[in-house]
Amino acid sequence: MRQRSGDQGYGAGEGPTAATPPVGPEGDGRRASTVRVFVALAPPDEAKVELARALAPAYAAYPHMRWNRIEDWHITLAFLGELPRAAVPPLHSPLADLAASRGPVELALHGAGHFDERVLWSGIGGDLPRLRLLASDVRTVVKECGIPFEDRPLRPHLTLARARRADQDSVVAAAAGLAGFTGRGWPAARLHLVGSDFGRGPGPIRYRDLESWAFTGP
């Protein structure tokens, strides 16, 4: 299975281990003063493997596309953008409280599509009303913490790949090949606060959980 670099804030490249120190913009080992942050859900491993198998023909046919690592596939609920590091810890407690008040959200990966013939994605099925309510409440928490961000309408999806500049056809063809995919249902069991201070500069963007919390409510 091919694993390739991600796109601008919606995928990932070669990911670090938990022990890997953060790096500065030049990749010289200095700790960056800001971190790009989003709040997300993540499919379980079995759902990701199921989709990766369905993607095998596209991996083989379009190796030049910038494929996201399956380890970093996620469903973004709120993209907060570039934040000072000091702005991140105050999010922990209210997001933990929110997760503790909710039960898992039943979801599934379903079909495929593209944004502007450039970004390939898999659609999300399942309990979408509950997913939208969760996203709304996450964004309320972020606003109450005094963090400004672009509150775009939620379009639930999982980003898979991005086309390279001169490629006009691969994403559309890959989306058509995956259009009939219907994955098994699964419970989204944790709320993830994710940062991408790894891989700044010309290399791939890298992601890691800053924190995550189990949904333990009703």
Side-chain angles (χ1 to χ4, degrees):
M1 179 170 56
R2 299 177 185 270
Q3 297 176 352
R4 297 187 181 273
S5 61
D7 59 49
Q8 53 180 13
Y10 294 97
E14 294 298 321
T17 65
T20 304
V23 297
E26 296 81 19
D28 58 4
R30 291 181 293 167
R31 187 176 180 85
S33 61
T34 62
V35 58
R36 187 172 301 148
V37 178
F38 57 91
V39 183
L41 303 178
D45 288 345
E46 58 269 23
K48 291 188 289 189
V49 169
E50 185 180 36
L51 177 57
R53 287 173 178 161
L55 278 169
Y59 286 141
Y62 313 111
H64 52 283
M65 287 171 54
R66 296 166 56 194
W67 291 98
N68 297 354
R69 296 195 324 163
I70 68 170
E71 293 92 334
D72 301 296
W73 284 350
H74 61 268
I75 303 162
T76 300
L77 302 179
F79 184 72
L80 312 189
E82 200 81 14
L83 300 180
R85 288 187 173 276
V88 178
L91 288 167
H92 290 191
S93 180
L95 288 175
D97 289 345
L98 176 60
S101 71
R102 303 298 175 86
V105 183
E106 294 292 330
L107 300 173
L109 300 175
H110 175 72
H114 59 84
F115 296 133
D116 299 325
E117 302 181 354
R118 296 281 299 166
V119 178
L120 174 67
W121 49 261
S122 174
I124 307 300
D127 193 347
L128 296 185
R130 192 168 184 178
L131 176 64
R132 293 183 186 280
L133 178 60
L134 174 63
S136 177
D137 288 346
V138 164
R139 295 174 187 208
T140 296
V141 164
V142 172
K143 292 173 184 176
E144 289 175 347
C145 287
I147 296 176
F149 68 100
E150 188 173 357
D151 194 357
R152 297 179 178 178
L154 181 69
R155 300 179 66 180
H157 69 280
L158 188 153
T159 299
L160 302 174
R162 176 175 289 272
R164 297 191 181 275
R165 288 183 181 274
D167 185 357
Q168 302 294 321
D169 305 314
S170 297
V171 163
V172 176
L178 195 64
F181 173 77
T182 299
R184 72 186 72 184
W186 43 270
R190 301 187 71 83
L191 184 66
H192 299 263
L193 181 65
V194 185
S196 61
D197 56 329
F198 291 85
R200 296 294 179 85
I205 297 172
R206 300 175 180 178
Y207 294 92
R208 68 183 179 102
D209 270 9
L210 302 175
E211 189 60 84
S212 71
W213 305 273
F215 292 114
T216 56

